[in-house]
Amino acid sequence: MELIPVIGLEMHAEMKSTTKVFSPAENTYNDISNLHVNKIDMAFPGILPLVNMECMEKAIEMALILNCNIPKIFMFDRKNYYYPDLPKGYQITQFNKPIGTNGYLTIDVDGEEKKVEILDIHLEEDSASLDHYSYFSLIDYNRAGVPLLETVSAPCIHSSKEAVAFLDTMKNIFRYTGISDADIKRGQIRCDVNVSMMEKGSSEFGTKVEVKNVNNIANVAATIEYEIKRQTELISAGRKDEIVQETRRYDEATNTTISMRSKADAIDYKYFVEPNIPPFNISDELVEEIKSRIPVLPNEKKLKYINELNLSSIEANIIVKDKEVSDYFDKLIELGTDIKLSTNWVINQVTDYINNNDINISELYLNPERLKYIIDQVISNKISNKQAKELFSKSLELNREPSELIKELGMEQLNDSDELRTLIISLLDNNKTQVEEYKNGKTNMFQFFVGQVMKETKGKANPVMVKEILTEEISNR
Amino acid sequence: MDSVILDLHNKLKNNEITSEELIKETLEKSKNIQNDLNPFVTICEETNIPKSIDNVLSGIPYVAKDNLSTKDILSTGSSNTLKDYVPFFDATVIERLNKKNACLIGKSAMDELGLGGTGTTCHTGVTKNPWDKTRITGGSSSGSACLVASGVVPFALGSDTGDSIRKPAAYCGIVGYKPTYGAISRFGLFPFASSLDHVGVLTRTVKDAAIVVDNVVGIDENDMTSIDLKSNLTESLTNNISGKKLFYIKNMLDINNYENPSDDLKNIINEFNKTIELARSLGATVDSVEFDQNLLNAIFPIYQCISCAEATSNDSNLTGIIFGPRGEGENYIDMIKNHRTNGFCSLIKRRFIIGSYVLQKENQEKYFLNAKRVRRLLVEKFNELFKTYDAMIMPAAGSIAPKIDSINEVINGTGSMQEVLENYMAIGNFGGYPSITIPNGFVSGMPIGINLTGAVYEDANVLNIAYTLESNMNYRNQIAKEVE
């Protein structure tokens, strides 16, 4: 019996906005706790929510990108439950009328296109964050009321690879549009992962398990892998009934999932329409305007790289994967840098460096202008590739202009043909025996002379020119 | 004299009395009344006495219901869960009165968090009726009604979710007015049921109600449900209702529809009929309209469903974690439980359970959503009537203020006509209608009231009808006998 994993994802992304979704407190990440807090975020008696239209517009933008239907009238609902990180005792979310429904997103899974159906996308508020210690817990309300955009996929994903491709694509769209920074390290992306196993050829879903609050994409993949293994093993061992509808959590330490509560203990959230936000509409004109604001997205950009710049599909994929890398690359090209070399440098040296040093490309000392200088030196044969790499490293190590370093490191190539000719002539004059040997057929003596020139010039001589002049002069003997 | 506020304003302006004297006198009266009737949670000994009298509310003393957030002044909502809560921000309505230099001299007691209609569930004890100390004031704006009726202040702020301003006004022989939903911002009002909550005012004359409301209405950027009434109420009081069309609900005023009607009820209906005749003599027409009895019977149950449901959610912030006395317990669940078990009176707990029950997944469709549908049906019917009529005129209650010791807080749900008459004013909250109660004489020595309710935004029209009737009766500016 062959089993197919059936996976549905609920992806929460913290949105980028000036203020929080229902309060005028700043929406800024801060290491100092409880700095960006308004009385609304802490639910003091008598507060009322105020819908942030910037968040509404960004949420609509995402719904449009995901090809969703947008309702004519917007409203919000309350999701009621008690928890110390939820000051009001309810979360304002969209249950009855999400901002978008019935959409899809086309993703690339190892060169294969796949359409992921989107059931809905809705706007809601984040809870406060809790820090648990042995005897107590601390609450940070900075996050309370931060706008969250939740995207719910249909159960149409069948592997961890597809899930990762979907989440990566979503993450890239968030960054390209500025709807979210989608910063994994800051926990801006969190997922609820639904996994079940279905018999091949069957149309009946298996029992679904929900793994809540998985906080980065790699862990989503690990969660899926683990659940597939666990459920497959149970089914194979004839213990299918041990797979129960339940909520689990991912445990990073053991790389497994752990049961939290069964369906019987599921919380009844008692959803009802938020009475403090009157239903409102957004004009067709504004929706059109939002649509026109959507920037060039990764897929579109990838096609542009392939068709206009002749990049390979693999190269284009690597560059578009990170908006900032892509912006950096675009700037290089815009400055008129060689396309082939730009591509190689960005994909290899630049990407390696930012990954190894865990920095953003925007923080890289070698901005596109400086990298262009290095590439230009290679193009005009002033330095070798090897020297260019050395210059790249030194410049980043010292945060110094490559145009200054190139001189200090004595890297500038000797390209003066007169100077080289004088040097070669005197070399041939001083090594008459070797010239004779060459003339008598010992052709590897040519390399000896090249080596001598390089030695004399401390490697600065342009090797191409050396060979040309040497060939000329030696044949004149 | 049709306005106590204008009268005081003129005295202040002409230096017949200084602001200091007025406030001192008010505070003295306050303390006496507090000993006698217990209407205060807080008496503000220090209030901002204005340096000059530059508008009609300058230096006018008032009290605010204790569910309005007042910066640096204890605001308890008459609940033990907030017994030491001192807010750091003002409700919009308070802020607007501050700008007018009105003088807040105290915070009035109320049924705990607004969930009650008797004035007996305040954490500081029962508020007594100034006309008869053995009787309730009604609620939940009990302290506000008591203080206006006993002549301590010319106006008091209240809130009204079912009839919490208009019913105590009737029981205390004063004016109680809640404007159209959203006309006065709810920002800073401790919520009971957000879709039904209104901020309003209790006064001894209709004109005073108009004056106060004119000074606090308007769009508030902190309340997305706030609206602009676009009319000046005070200027709309013309004392002319010639050609106005009124109606009353026939089934509810037919004494034969009541099982064992009390003499008080008969007399209340008699007084009502006299007032209808008065309205007719002033040029208005008054029609009797038969209304679907099933819908009338539904008013009270759907009010319970919707208000309790919203209340259970609205009051979920009362956990003792961020503010209020921290509960004891090994974990947060026990701490919250402890705080809420000790904090709330039994009436509130029962209502939270009703609210929670009707919101449960398996019950929501049957109770909560059906209640909302019937609410809409009722509102559509009334909207239809308001296309023809300027206002509905009805008795504000089916009895005089009950005796304190007769109060049984358990909801009976008898479905009787008496129950309909006691609870129908929630219609004003269902539709967000402007609704005002004015005194309509006395029965068994206690004041009674009539209520006028009109279409949304028709506040000026409704108030003018009330004003004109008031001008032609003898119950304006009544101060309770027991305290005179």
Side-chain angles (χ1 to χ4, degrees):
Chain A
M1 173 177 58
E2 196 180 328
L3 293 168
I4 300 164
V6 178
I7 301 152
L9 294 172
E10 292 162 35
M11 180 191 200
H12 301 79
E14 278 182 14
M15 293 172 81
K16 199 160 138 179
S17 62
T18 316
T19 56
K20 292 183 179 179
V21 60
F22 300 117
S23 96
E26 235 181 277
N27 174 21
T28 318
Y29 182 85
N30 204 303
D31 287 329
I32 303 167
S33 296
N34 296 309
L35 202 62
H36 303 301
V37 187
N38 178 280
K39 51 191 172 282
I40 296 175
D41 310 321
M42 287 183 77
F44 279 93
I47 56 93
L48 296 169
L50 303 166
V51 176
N52 178 343
M53 288 314 287
E54 181 193 1
C55 296
M56 276 303 293
E57 290 186 18
K58 284 187 166 174
I60 291 171
E61 184 180 350
M62 194 64 192
L64 290 168
I65 291 168
L66 297 177
N67 307 290
C68 287
N69 297 328
I70 314 278
K72 286 275 166 240
I73 287 178
F74 297 96
M75 49 205 275
F76 288 86
D77 299 274
R78 288 188 187 176
K79 179 179 179 177
N80 296 283
Y81 63 98
Y82 287 96
Y83 204 68
D85 66 3
L86 193 70
K88 289 193 291 290
Y90 57 86
Q91 176 198 35
I92 304 179
T93 178
Q94 292 182 307
F95 181 70
N96 289 305
K97 268 203 191 308
I99 237 160
T101 50
N102 295 326
Y104 64 87
L105 177 67
T106 308
I107 60 168
D108 182 315
V109 188
D110 289 345
E112 297 270 325
E113 265 195 6
K114 181 184 167 74
K115 216 176 202 184
V116 176
E117 287 168 60
I118 305 296
L119 297 181
D120 84 63
I121 174 164
H122 58 265
L123 180 60
E124 59 189 22
E125 58 181 333
D126 209 343
S127 57
S129 44
L130 292 174
D131 277 330
H132 299 290
Y133 297 89
S134 45
Y135 300 105
F136 59 97
S137 299
L138 296 176
I139 310 177
D140 179 3
Y141 293 97
N142 279 348
R143 206 183 69 184
V146 162
L148 273 186
L149 203 50
E150 178 174 345
T151 310
V152 182
S153 86
C156 64
I157 296 166
H158 299 296
S159 67
S160 60
K161 194 185 272 182
E162 288 182 4
V164 169
F166 170 70
L167 295 174
D168 271 338
T169 310
M170 288 287 290
K171 183 187 81 188
N172 288 344
I173 294 172
F174 281 133
R175 290 186 183 165
Y176 270 69
T177 51
I179 290 171
S180 167
D181 286 330
D183 189 332
I184 310 274
K185 277 176 277 173
R186 287 176 177 172
Q188 290 180 342
I189 298 287
R190 278 164 274 154
C191 292
D192 297 340
V193 186
N194 295 288
V195 185
S196 65
M197 303 301 290
M198 188 159 93
E199 278 178 39
K200 194 175 182 178
S202 167
S203 59
E204 218 173 291
F205 287 114
T207 304
K208 177 184 84 171
V209 164
E210 183 180 33
V211 187
K212 274 223 176 278
N213 224 358
V214 187
N215 62 6
N216 76 46
I217 295 176
N219 288 348
V220 170
T223 296
I224 292 171
E225 293 298 336
Y226 178 78
E227 272 304 311
I228 291 175
K229 183 167 162 276
R230 186 181 75 88
Q231 294 183 27
T232 306
E233 280 172 7
L234 283 172
I235 294 168
S236 310
R239 292 157 59 196
K240 191 174 174 180
D241 55 344
E242 287 177 35
I243 304 173
V244 292
Q245 196 169 338
E246 61 179 347
T247 303
R248 301 175 74 89
R249 65 178 177 82
Y250 174 70
D251 182 61
E252 209 164 351
T254 56
N255 211 11
T256 60
T257 65
I258 294 167
S259 181
M260 285 167 73
R261 56 173 181 260
S262 72
K263 197 204 172 194
D265 302 323
I267 302 165
D268 178 356
Y269 291 116
K270 304 189 179 84
Y271 288 97
F272 71 95
V273 172
E274 167 58 68
N276 290 319
I277 302 174
F280 60 101
N281 60 352
I282 281 182
S283 68
D284 293 347
E285 290 77 31
L286 183 54
V287 173
E288 280 309 309
E289 196 197 311
I290 294 167
K291 204 179 260 177
S292 70
R293 257 185 248 160
I294 298 171
V296 178
L297 295 175
N299 265 348
E300 218 178 312
K301 210 163 198 185
K302 184 180 138 191
L303 288 178
K304 196 184 128 197
Y305 288 162
I306 294 171
N307 297 332
E308 292 175 23
L309 304 178
N310 286 320
L311 266 61
S312 74
S313 168
I314 294 168
E315 290 169 336
N317 263 338
I318 295 172
I319 294 175
V320 297
K321 199 164 179 175
D322 185 328
K323 179 182 187 283
E324 292 192 326
V325 170
S326 167
D327 286 345
Y328 182 99
F329 177 73
D330 289 348
K331 182 76 189 170
L332 264 179
I333 302 303
E334 193 191 308
L335 291 168
T337 321
D338 180 82
I339 294 170
K340 191 76 209 150
L341 284 180
S342 294
T343 309
N344 287 339
W345 274 85
V346 169
I347 288 176
N348 298 309
Q349 279 73 23
V350 172
T351 311
D352 285 352
Y353 187 86
I354 58 172
N355 288 342
N356 294 339
N357 292 280
D358 201 16
I359 59 164
N360 276 327
I361 199 165
S362 55
E363 302 165 53
L364 192 71
Y365 175 75
L366 284 174
N367 57 21
E369 285 79 4
R370 294 191 175 110
L371 183 63
K372 179 181 190 296
Y373 174 82
I374 297 179
I375 293 173
D376 285 352
Q377 304 317 302
V378 177
I379 290 284
S380 58
N381 282 323
K382 291 208 176 112
I383 55 175
S384 65
N385 262 320
K386 198 174 153 234
Q387 286 174 314
K389 282 173 195 165
E390 198 190 329
L391 185 57
F392 179 87
S393 307
K394 278 280 174 204
S395 175
L396 287 173
E397 185 190 317
L398 304 169
N399 277 353
R400 298 266 319 269
E401 284 292 341
S403 56
E404 288 170 16
L405 283 177
I406 203 168
K407 292 193 186 99
E408 286 177 27
L409 297 171
M411 274 183 183
E412 270 185 296
Q413 260 181 349
L414 188 49
N415 286 320
D416 187 325
S417 63
D418 291 342
E419 199 182 328
L420 284 175
R421 195 174 296 276
T422 317
L423 196 114
I424 287 169
I425 290 170
S426 91
L427 188 75
L428 293 177
D429 289 346
N430 295 334
N431 292 286
K432 288 211 169 103
T433 339
Q434 283 81 355
V435 173
E436 267 322 291
E437 283 176 19
Y438 175 81
K439 289 277 180 193
N440 293 334
K442 211 171 173 184
T443 47
N444 57 0
M445 271 301 143
F446 190 81
Q447 276 314 314
F448 164 78
F449 292 117
V450 172
Q452 290 299 310
V453 178
M454 294 319 257
K455 200 176 160 190
E456 288 280 317
T457 60
K458 294 187 182 115
K460 280 196 278 181
N462 182 330
V464 180
M465 290 174 78
V466 171
K467 281 175 197 163
E468 274 173 21
I469 299 169
L470 189 63
T471 312
E472 248 178 75
E473 287 300 327
I474 209 161
S475 62
N476 290 341
R477 299 275 158 155
Chain B
M1 185 193 68
D2 64 356
S3 164
V4 182
I5 293 173
L6 279 180
D7 185 51
L8 275 175
H9 173 66
N10 288 332
K11 283 181 177 149
L12 286 168
K13 235 168 77 178
N14 303 333
N15 287 321
E16 284 170 51
I17 185 172
T18 66
S19 294
E20 286 81 0
E21 285 164 352
L22 177 57
I23 297 305
K24 194 170 165 239
E25 190 190 311
T26 306
L27 287 172
E28 272 164 23
K29 267 196 224 166
S30 298
K31 285 172 203 162
N32 291 336
I33 290 286
Q34 175 62 9
N35 287 334
D36 225 17
L37 305 173
N38 198 31
F40 281 106
V41 176
T42 306
I43 296 175
C44 305
E45 295 279 354
E46 283 175 34
T47 183
N48 292 323
I49 295 167
K51 289 186 186 71
S52 65
I53 303 302
D54 59 3
N55 78 86
V56 69
L57 292 181
S58 288
I60 304 292
Y62 78 101
V63 296
K65 193 174 177 177
D66 212 30
N67 59 354
L68 286 163
S69 189
T70 45
K71 188 172 184 254
D72 301 331
I73 297 168
L74 187 68
S75 304
T76 68
S78 283
S79 176
N80 276 316
T81 59
L82 293 168
K83 66 185 173 66
D84 300 314
Y85 174 59
V86 179
F88 56 95
F89 62 100
D90 276 325
T92 300
V93 64
I94 298 288
E95 193 182 276
R96 290 185 178 176
L97 285 172
N98 280 345
K99 279 199 184 121
K100 298 289 175 177
N101 289 320
C103 297
L104 180 71
I105 62 99
K107 298 295 293 292
S108 59
M110 53 185 280
D111 280 299
E112 184 173 5
L113 299 167
L115 282 81
T118 59
T120 61
T121 62
C122 333
H123 75 312
T124 50
V126 178
T127 307
K128 293 170 197 156
N129 193 309
W131 295 90
D132 176 350
K133 282 191 256 182
T134 66
R135 295 183 182 274
I136 64 166
T137 53
S140 59
S141 307
S142 52
S144 287
C146 173
L147 287 161
V148 171
S150 46
V152 176
V153 283
F155 78 93
L157 296 176
S159 66
D160 188 315
T161 306
D163 54 23
S164 282
I165 286 175
R166 296 162 291 157
K167 194 71 158 292
Y171 285 166
C172 293
I174 56 171
V175 173
Y177 165 46
K178 73 158 198 68
T180 297
Y181 183 77
I184 302 178
S185 167
R186 287 182 298 116
F187 181 78
L189 170 71
F190 302 177
F192 166 8
S194 310
S195 76
L196 301 166
D197 287 347
H198 296 62
V199 176
V201 66
L202 299 101
T203 57
R204 290 195 300 279
T205 76
V206 174
K207 192 175 223 171
D208 283 343
I211 290 170
V212 176
V213 172
D214 272 338
N215 278 283
V216 295
V217 287
I219 301 278
D220 174 18
E221 57 174 26
N222 288 315
D223 179 358
M224 293 185 71
T225 63
S226 65
I227 56 142
D228 183 0
L229 270 187
K230 291 186 180 128
S231 55
N232 184 301
L233 302 176
T234 314
E235 285 170 10
S236 311
L237 307 178
T238 60
N239 210 1
N240 178 2
I241 55 167
S242 177
K244 295 290 178 194
K245 297 181 81 177
L246 306 177
F247 77 94
Y248 63 87
I249 298 171
K250 194 178 165 190
N251 351 9
M252 286 170 67
L253 284 155
D254 184 346
I255 199 75
N256 298 316
N257 287 336
Y258 290 84
E259 233 175 278
N260 307 320
S262 65
D263 287 344
D264 283 354
L265 175 64
K266 287 176 194 162
N267 289 329
I268 285 169
I269 293 178
N270 280 344
E271 292 302 317
F272 172 75
N273 286 333
K274 281 188 216 162
T275 305
I276 295 178
E277 283 317 311
L278 172 67
R280 286 178 177 137
S281 74
L282 293 168
T285 57
V286 185
D287 291 351
S288 71
V289 168
E290 187 83 31
F291 203 91
D292 184 343
Q293 190 63 42
N294 285 329
L295 278 179
L296 292 176
N297 291 343
I299 294 171
F300 186 51
I302 67 173
Y303 170 71
Q304 289 292 340
C305 269
I306 296 171
S307 68
C308 293
E310 290 185 19
T312 188
S313 172
N314 278 335
D315 287 324
S316 295
N317 63 336
L318 304 176
T319 57
I321 288 180
I322 296 178
F323 44 78
R326 184 69 65 87
E328 285 169 16
E330 285 299 302
N331 53 53
Y332 79 90
I333 296 173
D334 290 346
M335 287 161 69
I336 293 175
K337 245 187 216 167
N338 178 271
H339 170 81
R340 292 173 69 87
T341 305
N342 295 337
F344 296 131
C345 70
S346 56
L347 175 135
I348 286 212
K349 288 177 197 160
R350 268 200 301 281
R351 293 208 185 178
F352 287 162
I353 289 167
I354 294 171
S356 212
Y357 181 78
V358 302
L359 280 177
Q360 274 172 7
K361 219 178 196 173
E362 61 271 30
N363 302 329
Q364 197 175 110
E365 177 62 35
K366 189 173 163 193
Y367 296 111
F368 182 66
L369 294 179
N370 270 337
K372 284 179 73 170
R373 289 181 191 113
V374 179
R375 173 183 181 175
R376 197 175 60 224
L377 220 58
L378 272 159
V379 169
E380 280 167 5
K381 293 269 182 201
F382 273 91
N383 285 348
E384 201 53 45
L385 284 165
F386 288 139
K387 280 183 189 163
T388 311
Y389 297 101
D390 294 286
M392 170 171 77
I393 183 166
M394 293 286 288
S399 73
I400 59 170
K403 290 276 190 183
I404 291 169
D405 55 22
S406 77
I407 294 304
N408 173 5
E409 50 184 43
V410 177
I411 299 160
N412 286 316
T414 56
S416 68
M417 189 61 96
Q418 187 74 37
E419 189 182 85
V420 173
L421 185 58
E422 294 302 351
N423 295 288
Y424 81 94
M425 282 199 291
I427 286 290
N429 306 76
F430 292 163
Y433 302 132
S435 184
I436 184 168
T437 293
I438 60 170
N440 193 39
F442 292 86
V443 166
S444 302
M446 288 298 289
I448 58 164
I450 48 163
N451 178 265
L452 288 148
T453 298
V456 289
Y457 288 95
E458 286 297 317
D459 294 63
N461 198 6
V462 172
L463 252 61
N464 181 43
I465 297 166
Y467 176 78
T468 308
L469 292 175
E470 179 198 57
S471 302
N472 289 279
M473 297 192 290
N474 294 316
Y475 316 122
R476 179 181 271 162
N477 192 16
Q478 297 183 140
I479 292 178
K481 280 181 298 191
E482 285 223 354
V483 293
E484 262 181 10

